[in-house]
């Protein structure tokens, strides 16, 4: 029992440090984007077309890196939350009326897969990213799918979301 308590105390003290490191990385990425935007503005004023084109590419790359790091941060956030709240992510008595398919992003799926019965109505409860207006988090067996409900296209997949 004593070892368990010590282990849990060590884990609790390590989690904020990891979160702070991720926040620092996001802060640096935002600073990089601002720096690249300043360089682009300077190139427009003082440089030639090639300088402007190169700076535009740098700004685009910095923004892409920031988007990827934000997505990774959100994904790590819900994983940490899941590890500390196992009961919330229990599979429960849940069955679908269709077979399991391992969907990938970009695949078009039928309406039956993202009907109202399978929509996650409260994604904030699971610390998931807020979906866009036309997107929904949908449960598919133990996986979660982010589906564009206008077109029926899978945007993101989180495998083994539920225990």
């Amino acid at each position: 029992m004593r070892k368990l308590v010590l282990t849990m105390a060590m884990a609790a003290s390590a989690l904020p440090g990891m979160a702070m490191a991720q926040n620092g990385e996001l802060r640096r990425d935002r600073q990089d984007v601002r720096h690249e935007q300043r360089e682009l503005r300077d190139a427009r004023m003082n440089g030639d077309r090639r300088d402007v084109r190169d700076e535009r590419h740098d700004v685009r790359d910095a923004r892409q890196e920031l988007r990827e790091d934000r997505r990774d941060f959100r994904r790590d956030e819900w994983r940490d939350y899941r590890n500390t709240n196992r009961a919330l992510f229990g599979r429960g008595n849940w069955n679908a009326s269709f077979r399991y398919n391992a969907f990938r992003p970009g695949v078009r799926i039928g309406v039956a897969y993202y009907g109202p019965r399978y929509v996650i109505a409260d994604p904030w409860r699971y610390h998931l990213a807020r979906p866009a207006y036309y997107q929904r988090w949908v449960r598919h067996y133990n996986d979660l799918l982010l589906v564009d409900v206008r077109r029926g296209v899978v945007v993101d997949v989180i495998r083994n979301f539920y225990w």
Side-chain angles (χ1 to χ4, degrees):
M1 181 68 173
R2 185 176 182 188
K3 287 182 181 179
L4 178 65
V5 171
L6 287 174
T7 304
M8 292 187 64
M10 288 179 7
S13 64
L15 284 177
M18 291 183 339
M20 291 296 288
Q22 291 173 338
N23 285 339
E25 184 177 347
L26 291 175
R27 190 177 319 112
R28 281 190 300 277
D29 285 343
R30 283 192 297 268
Q31 289 171 350
D32 288 345
V33 169
R34 284 193 298 268
H35 176 73
E36 295 297 340
Q37 287 173 336
R38 277 192 300 269
E39 288 186 355
L40 175 60
R41 189 173 50 241
D42 292 343
R44 283 183 178 154
M45 293 178 72
N46 303 327
D48 59 0
R49 288 183 180 176
R50 175 177 236 158
D51 292 339
V52 172
R53 185 174 53 239
D54 291 343
E55 291 302 328
R56 280 185 185 152
H57 288 295
D58 291 344
V59 169
R60 189 178 311 127
D61 292 342
R63 285 180 180 159
Q64 179 65 29
E65 186 176 338
L66 177 61
R67 275 193 297 271
E68 290 170 357
D69 286 345
R70 280 183 180 158
R71 184 176 35 236
D72 293 343
F73 176 72
R74 288 185 191 120
R75 194 161 283 216
D76 292 342
E77 181 183 1
W78 75 257
R79 281 195 178 123
D80 294 339
Y81 183 72
R82 180 179 73 165
N83 290 336
T84 57
N85 298 295
R86 286 183 170 273
L88 180 63
F89 293 85
R91 178 173 161 82
N93 188 12
W94 187 86
N95 291 315
S97 59
F98 42 79
R99 291 181 43 204
Y100 174 78
N101 291 314
F103 293 117
R104 293 173 293 136
V107 173
R108 185 176 297 253
I109 61 175
V111 177
Y113 289 103
Y114 58 92
R117 178 178 176 190
Y118 309 113
V119 171
I120 305 295
D122 50 356
W124 57 88
R125 179 178 176 203
Y126 299 105
H127 286 234
L128 292 168
R130 190 174 129 211
Y133 179 71
Y134 51 86
Q135 295 176 346
R136 302 287 180 269
W137 285 106
V138 177
R139 182 171 185 169
H140 181 66
Y141 286 84
N142 286 347
D143 301 343
L144 270 188
L145 309 174
L146 183 61
V147 178
D148 179 346
V149 293
R150 294 181 302 177
R151 300 178 297 147
V153 174
V154 177
V155 177
D156 192 14
V157 177
I158 301 176
R159 302 221 186 276
N160 298 321
F161 185 78
Y162 293 97
W163 298 106

